[in-house]
Amino acid sequence: RDARLAWWREARFGMFIHWGLYAVPAGRWDGKQVGGIGEWIMHNARIPVADYAALARRFNPVKFDADAWVRLAKEAGMRYIVITSKHHDGFAMFASKATKYNIHDATPFKRDPLAELAEACRKHGLRLGFYYSQAQDWHHPGGAAAGGHWDKAQDGSMDDYIRDVAVPQVRELLSNYGPLAILWWDTPVDMTKERAEKFLPLLGLQPGIITNDRLGGGFPGDSGTPEQFIPATGTPGRDWETCMTMNDTWGYKSDDRNWKPAATLIRNLVDIACKGGNDLLNV
C-alpha cells in the first residue's frame, strides 16, 4: 500500500475535470435557470430521460485539445488529472460497448476524449484517473433507484444495472486506457456490501490503482475525500484529498461567476499540503 501511494503522497496537487452533457444546457432548462450545481440539472429539473438524452445530438466539442489541457495542468504544478468518465446523468465520456449512450456513439463528435487524455498524460508525464458514478445513473433502467426517480424509463433493477452497465464499463476503463493512477467512485447510495463486491475483482486489472472511500458497502478505499472543506487538523493516520471547486459548481453553469480569488486558491493549496493532504481542484 505504501508503494502504491508513494507518488500520490508526494503529488499534493491534481486537476479534477467535470465534463459531460450537462455542459450543453449550462444550468438552463426551458429558458429558466435551474437551481443547484450544473451537473445535477437532469435531477434538479426532473428532465425526462429522452429529453435529456437528446442533448447528445448537440454535443460536438470540436475544440477539445487533450494536449493543451494536460500542459495547462502541468504548468500549474499539478501532478495528476481525474476526469468524469460517467457522472450521475449516465452519459459515458468514452467509447463504451456496454451502452450506446456515450460520446463516441451518441454524438456528432465520434471521438474518445479519455483515450486522447491518456495519450497526452503519458506524453507529458502526468498521471490519469477516472471518476465513475457507480451507484447513481439517471439514464439507464435501475440506476435511478438510488438517486431519485421521476420517469418510468428509469424503472428497473439496480442489481441488473450494476451487472449490465456499471461493472462492464469499469472493466472497460481499467482495460482500455493503459496504466491508470486513480479510480474515483462517487455517491454510494444503496450500495450494499454485495453490490460493492461486484467491482472489487476488477481492481486487479490495475494493481497500482488508488481508490477513494466512496465505493460503498463498508469498503474504506485508500483515501478520504473531504468535499469543499479542509479538515482543521487534516486526518491523522488517513490519506486524504480535499476536492474543491473554483466557483460554486462542479459542472459548467453559465451564471456561476462566484470565482474564488487566486490568493484563496493558493492559500488552500498550502493549507492542504502542510496538513498532509492533496488538493484536487476542479475545473
Side-chain angles (χ1 to χ4, degrees):
R1 185 171 182 281
D2 284 342
R4 276 190 304 113
L5 283 156
W7 74 266
W8 189 87
R9 291 167 176 163
E10 290 290 324
R12 294 297 178 227
F13 196 24
M15 178 184 279
F16 211 0
I17 300 172
H18 273 68
W19 189 33
L21 281 189
Y22 39 83
V24 178
R28 298 187 71 87
W29 196 258
D30 284 339
K32 300 173 189 161
Q33 282 290 348
V34 177
I37 45 185
E39 72 282 5
W40 277 68
I41 188 170
M42 182 183 180
H43 174 281
N44 293 347
R46 292 297 195 261
I47 301 171
V49 168
D51 293 352
Y52 187 86
L55 292 171
R57 297 196 290 270
R58 296 167 50 198
F59 192 44
N60 192 21
V62 292
K63 294 183 181 179
F64 170 64
D65 183 342
D67 201 77
W69 286 22
V70 174
R71 279 189 285 109
L72 182 70
K74 188 173 184 178
E75 288 163 8
M78 291 161 162
R79 305 292 179 84
Y80 61 104
I81 290 172
V82 178
I83 186 169
T84 49
S85 66
K86 187 198 79 169
H87 208 274
H88 311 325
D89 64 356
F91 185 76
M93 292 292 292
F94 62 101
S96 173
K97 289 186 169 63
T99 168
K100 294 290 187 185
Y101 194 52
N102 69 74
I103 191 168
H104 184 271
D105 294 324
T107 78
F109 192 50
K110 304 298 179 196
R111 285 160 54 187
D112 185 334
L114 301 195
E116 295 175 29
L117 268 175
E119 183 180 350
C121 281
R122 285 191 290 271
K123 175 181 170 185
H124 293 289
L126 267 69
R127 296 181 190 252
L128 179 63
F130 292 148
Y131 166 113
Y132 186 83
S133 174
Q134 78 284 4
Q136 288 199 83
D137 184 320
W138 305 320
H139 176 86
H140 294 95
H149 188 287
W150 59 90
D151 184 337
K152 279 197 69 64
Q154 298 166 320
D155 290 355
S157 156
M158 185 175 181
D159 292 305
D160 290 352
Y161 152 73
I162 288 173
R163 182 193 65 216
D164 297 336
V165 178
V167 165
Q169 285 193 328
V170 171
R171 183 180 292 110
E172 290 173 332
L173 291 170
L174 296 178
S175 302
N176 298 343
Y177 297 91
L180 284 185
I182 294 164
L183 189 54
W184 216 97
W185 311 109
D186 200 17
T187 60
V189 279
D190 290 350
M191 282 293 288
T192 62
K193 182 173 183 287
E194 292 71 29
R195 287 169 176 163
E197 283 175 340
K198 299 283 196 299
F199 296 94
L200 295 180
L202 301 176
L203 300 180
L205 295 167
Q206 295 272 353
I209 204 155
I210 295 168
T211 62
N212 69 1
D213 59 351
R214 299 190 184 189
L215 173 60
F219 294 99
D222 295 306
S223 62
T225 52
E227 182 169 327
Q228 298 285 41
F229 76 98
I230 302 168
T233 58
T235 55
R238 174 77 161 142
D239 292 289
W240 60 281
E241 173 187 69
T242 283
C243 54
M244 193 173 287
T245 52
M246 294 176 72
N247 51 354
D248 291 328
T249 185
W250 301 92
Y252 176 61
K253 192 171 184 183
S254 58
D255 69 333
D256 182 4
R257 300 183 181 88
N258 187 30
W259 301 103
K260 296 177 179 70
T264 299
L265 297 177
I266 293 166
R267 286 181 180 276
N268 286 346
L269 174 58
V270 172
D271 192 19
I272 291 165
C274 72
K275 288 174 179 171
N278 282 14
D279 182 357
L280 188 61
L281 184 62
N282 183 74
V283 296

